[in-house]
Amino acid sequence: MEFLSSMELFVEVAKAKGFRRAAETLGMPNSTLSRRIAELEKRVGVRLFHRSTRRVELTEAGQAYFRRCEGIVAEARVAHESLLELAERPSGVVRVSMPVDLAISYLAPAIQAFGARYPLIDFEMDLGSRRVDLVSDGFDCAIRMGAPPPTPSTLIARPIGLLPRYLYASPAYLHSAPPLQHPRDLAQHQCLVQAAVRLASQWTLSDGKETITMPVSGRYSVNSVGMCQAMAKLGMGIAVSAGPDTGDDLESGRLQRVLPNWNVAPIPVYAILESRLIPSRVRLFIDCISAHLQGQD
């Protein structure tokens, strides 16, 4: 990159037939430009300019070098300008793998807003929990929830947000269930555990002053946030969910907040990438999702 930059400086001096005029065009000190050209000459091993107090002329080697460099520099500028245009009006396809509950319950509004903002971008979304190979499966990125996923050294896990979570239950369940005034009381309740198998789990809650981790259990265990919420509305127990996903149910009275002064530990969300050098459409997509998750969109 530094070599290409030096070639650009050389082309400007050759066109201007002088260092001072070229320095003014480039917006850099004349002394700096002279030093850079001298370093280039030392690097290529030949003198490129005949210098005198009155004028600067290309040597024979300089003329041959200029004919080659002028085209290279012009092509580089076109490529750079095309890239800037692409960044301003990104296009192409974003191929992303996401958990179905996260996509439907939390990210759908962000995807809709992003699609409206960038009409030249199309989407291929694979919704599921299967582990994908970004390279062989042809994905630009994978969005994942939970603890930082173990990734090969060739992949990058970029944190993009936290999902704040709370406890909810139906009025019917709370009417017939034991009193619930402190997280310790959860031991006496049916808790809808989000797990693939029906095993005891634990919830960590905080009221801003105290943090407590409680083992919880219940008759029903499922690996779907949506199903847990549906069962909670049917009075089958207490569920963990994020605020945006329960708005309509709270307004209608189908659900109500449990232990309102306590929050469940938020769950982190990550974007798994093959490289930090990603197309602008993918970077903008991830930034949009991140802003949405952080309540900035």
Side-chain angles (χ1 to χ4, degrees):
M1 185 61 70
E2 181 180 353
F3 196 71
L4 181 59
S5 175
S6 297
M7 290 171 60
E8 182 181 15
L9 300 182
F10 162 74
V11 169
E12 288 297 332
V13 174
K15 287 181 175 180
K17 298 183 179 180
F19 284 85
R20 188 174 302 279
R21 188 181 303 172
E24 292 175 355
T25 301
L26 293 166
M28 64 189 306
N30 184 53
S31 58
T32 301
L33 179 59
S34 298
R35 177 177 55 79
R36 291 285 300 275
I37 295 300
E39 290 173 352
L40 177 62
E41 290 178 319
K42 182 177 180 181
R43 195 169 182 179
V44 298
V46 294
R47 182 174 290 278
L48 299 173
F49 292 102
H50 292 301
R51 299 170 175 83
S52 69
T53 56
R54 300 182 62 181
R55 60 188 306 175
V56 173
E57 293 182 341
L58 287 167
T59 63
E60 182 177 355
Q63 292 174 3
Y65 193 59
F66 175 74
R67 287 192 293 268
R68 299 295 299 271
C69 288
E70 186 178 24
I72 293 173
V73 170
E75 285 292 329
R77 285 175 177 168
V78 169
H80 183 67
E81 290 168 0
S82 298
L83 187 60
L84 290 177
E85 181 180 351
L86 183 62
E88 293 175 356
R89 290 181 55 81
S91 61
V93 180
V94 172
R95 299 177 176 88
V96 57
S97 170
M98 296 181 288
V100 61
D101 282 326
L102 179 70
I104 295 175
S105 300
Y106 309 120
L107 299 184
I111 295 171
Q112 186 275 333
F114 182 84
R117 188 179 307 167
Y118 300 105
L120 299 181
I121 295 179
D122 296 329
F123 301 87
E124 291 182 8
M125 292 175 279
D126 180 85
L127 305 186
S129 57
R130 72 182 182 93
R131 181 174 295 181
V132 299
D133 186 312
L134 296 183
V135 179
S136 62
D137 292 339
F139 287 101
D140 293 307
C141 67
I143 309 298
R144 293 294 179 258
M145 302 166 58
T151 57
S153 58
T154 55
L155 299 180
I156 298 167
R158 171 186 163 185
I160 59 175
L162 293 172
L163 286 179
R165 301 184 297 163
Y166 314 99
L167 298 180
Y168 299 94
S170 70
Y173 171 84
L174 295 173
H175 179 73
S176 60
L180 183 53
Q181 299 177 342
H182 191 275
R184 287 188 292 268
D185 299 330
L186 290 170
Q188 305 174 51
H189 285 262
Q190 289 290 325
C191 296
L192 302 170
V193 179
Q194 296 171 24
V197 294
R198 188 165 64 85
L199 297 173
S201 184
Q202 60 184 24
W203 291 343
T204 299
L205 297 96
S206 174
D207 64 354
K209 298 179 182 179
E210 178 185 5
T211 298
I212 183 170
T213 298
M214 280 296 300
V216 295
S217 61
R219 296 177 57 201
Y220 305 99
S221 179
V222 62
N223 65 340
S224 168
V225 175
M227 186 60 177
C228 281
Q229 185 170 328
M231 292 190 295
K233 287 186 287 187
L234 293 172
M236 300 168 69
I238 300 173
V240 175
S241 190
D245 196 33
T246 57
D248 293 341
D249 292 322
L250 289 174
E251 290 182 8
S252 66
R254 290 187 293 266
L255 288 177
Q256 67 182 64
R257 180 88 178 268
V258 175
L259 296 174
N261 295 325
W262 294 80
N263 300 335
V264 183
I267 186 168
V269 182
Y270 292 83
I272 310 300
L273 304 165
E274 182 185 0
S275 169
R276 298 188 188 278
L277 300 175
I278 57 178
S280 61
R281 63 181 181 275
V282 179
R283 175 181 54 79
L284 291 169
F285 177 72
I286 294 174
D287 289 346
C288 178
I289 288 179
S290 179
H292 178 75
L293 290 174
Q294 297 175 44
Q296 300 173 6
D297 200 25

